[in-house]
Amino acid sequence: GVFTWNGKEVFRSQMVAGYTMAITGARFGDDGYAIERNTRYADHKGGFEEMMKNLFSGRPLNGWSLRKVLETVDNYDSAVSEIQTMPYTSTEYCIISGVQKGRIISRNPDNVAHLQILDQPNYKERSDYIIITNFDYFWGDVREWFDPTGGNGMFHPRRIAAQKYLNSTVEGEITYDDLWNTINDKGVFADTIFQAIINVERGVWDVSQPDVLPESQK
């Protein structure tokens, strides 16, 4: 949906019927940003109980808090600051990109567990991209290897398949087509509701529904 105020677009978000919170969204402009949420499994014992305690204490749900960021924050740096400090109900990844910058924020309910920042040293990543699925691979989370959702099944992590394609490109020259081919690769393609390529500087909002693998990937 496209959300406006006095006839001017404030932000847009790919919505799911009956779900009012943000999953993927963007504010366009010279200092705009896009955000995307990924499930992050708890990295410590008692994580589920912690989530339930936060939920029943009345904390806003993660998606609602991120929707309020999209509504009220008009620039990348302020959005990053808000996302890194606001209380969360549960663990989650927030992927945020701006104009020639970006980071993946691995959140615990009360703090930031880990940061991946574009164009800085990151674990097993080139400087021109950052990547995450649903596991803390930078800490050796073995659950990544038992994820059955990728096209190649268990023991073939989607993240590794994506990096294999990205690492085959010329560093610093990843194109739109490279991104498209990466997210639609058989080993990366998963049971997701939708996928997106977004460029806030150029106004690109390309959201697709990956219901069926492309013929070339079957």
Side-chain angles (χ1 to χ4, degrees), residues 133 144-147 150 153-162 187-188:
T133 53
E144 176 183 49
W145 293 87
F146 297 93
D147 176 14
M154 286 196 298
F155 313 120
H156 298 90
R158 291 173 287 131
R159 186 263 311 174
I160 291 178
V188 179

Side-chain angles (χ1 to χ4, degrees), residues 109-126:
D110 296 318
N111 54 57
V112 173
H114 186 72
L115 289 175
Q116 295 158 263
I117 301 176
L118 187 65
D119 205 30
Q120 292 189 16
N122 295 295
Y123 180 73
K124 290 188 176 181
E125 293 171 331
R126 287 187 346 195

Side-chain angles (χ1 to χ4, degrees), residues 118-137:
L118 187 65
D119 205 30
Q120 292 189 16
N122 295 295
Y123 180 73
K124 290 188 176 181
E125 293 171 331
R126 287 187 346 195
S127 63
D128 60 341
Y129 71 80
I130 47 179
I131 190 169
I132 203 70
T133 53
N134 305 112
F135 307 95
D136 294 342
Y137 74 92

Side-chain angles (χ1 to χ4, degrees), residues 10-216:
V10 177
F11 75 97
R12 60 181 58 194
S13 179
Q14 182 63 35
M15 309 298 288
V16 176
Y19 188 79
T20 60
M21 291 171 275
I23 302 173
T24 298
R27 286 186 71 130
F28 293 124
D30 294 338
D31 195 19
Y33 59 93
I35 61 173
E36 193 261 341
R37 300 166 56 201
N38 272 21
T39 296
R40 176 177 180 251
Y41 298 107
D43 61 359
H44 58 281
K45 186 177 180 179
F48 177 76
E49 289 80 4
E50 181 182 31
M51 177 192 71
M52 296 303 294
K53 178 182 177 181
N54 291 333
L55 181 64
F56 285 109
S57 74
R59 277 196 187 189
L61 297 176
N62 301 348
W64 186 254
S65 296
L66 288 171
R67 173 169 173 158
K68 301 310 288 185
V69 171
L70 285 164
E71 288 179 6
T72 61
V73 180
D74 66 359
N75 65 89
Y76 174 87
D77 288 336
S78 296
V80 165
S81 178
E82 184 70 18
I83 292 166
Q84 289 187 181
T85 57
M86 68 188 188
Y88 267 55
T89 300
S90 63
T91 56
E92 192 168 272
Y93 299 108
C94 182
I95 299 92
I96 179 166
S97 62
V99 178
Q100 302 296 318
K101 51 190 173 182
R103 64 179 58 196
I104 298 172
I105 305 166
S106 301
R107 277 298 311 258
N108 289 328
D110 296 318
N111 54 57
V112 173
H114 186 72
L115 289 175
Q116 295 158 263
I117 301 176
L118 187 65
D119 205 30
Q120 292 189 16
N122 295 295
Y123 180 73
K124 290 188 176 181
E125 293 171 331
R126 287 187 346 195
S127 63
D128 60 341
Y129 71 80
I130 47 179
I131 190 169
I132 203 70
T133 53
N134 305 112
F135 307 95
D136 294 342
Y137 74 92
F138 37 80
W139 289 332
D141 189 347
V142 297
R143 291 173 293 184
E144 176 183 49
W145 293 87
F146 297 93
D147 176 14
T149 61
N152 293 326
M154 286 196 298
F155 313 120
H156 298 90
R158 291 173 287 131
R159 186 263 311 174
I160 291 178
Q163 288 194 272
K164 181 179 180 180
Y165 189 96
L166 291 171
N167 289 340
S168 72
T169 65
V170 177
E171 187 164 356
E173 298 182 15
I174 295 176
T175 66
Y176 175 96
D177 288 339
D178 291 329
L179 295 175
W180 177 258
N181 290 333
T182 299
I183 62 177
N184 286 287
D185 181 85
K186 180 180 179 181
V188 179
F189 200 91
D191 58 347
T192 188
I193 301 172
F194 55 82
Q195 56 196 19
I197 297 177
I198 304 168
N199 186 316
V200 294
E201 182 181 16
R202 300 180 181 178
V204 175
W205 176 262
D206 190 351
V207 179
S208 56
Q209 187 174 6
D211 287 331
V212 182
L213 280 172
E215 289 296 325
S216 62

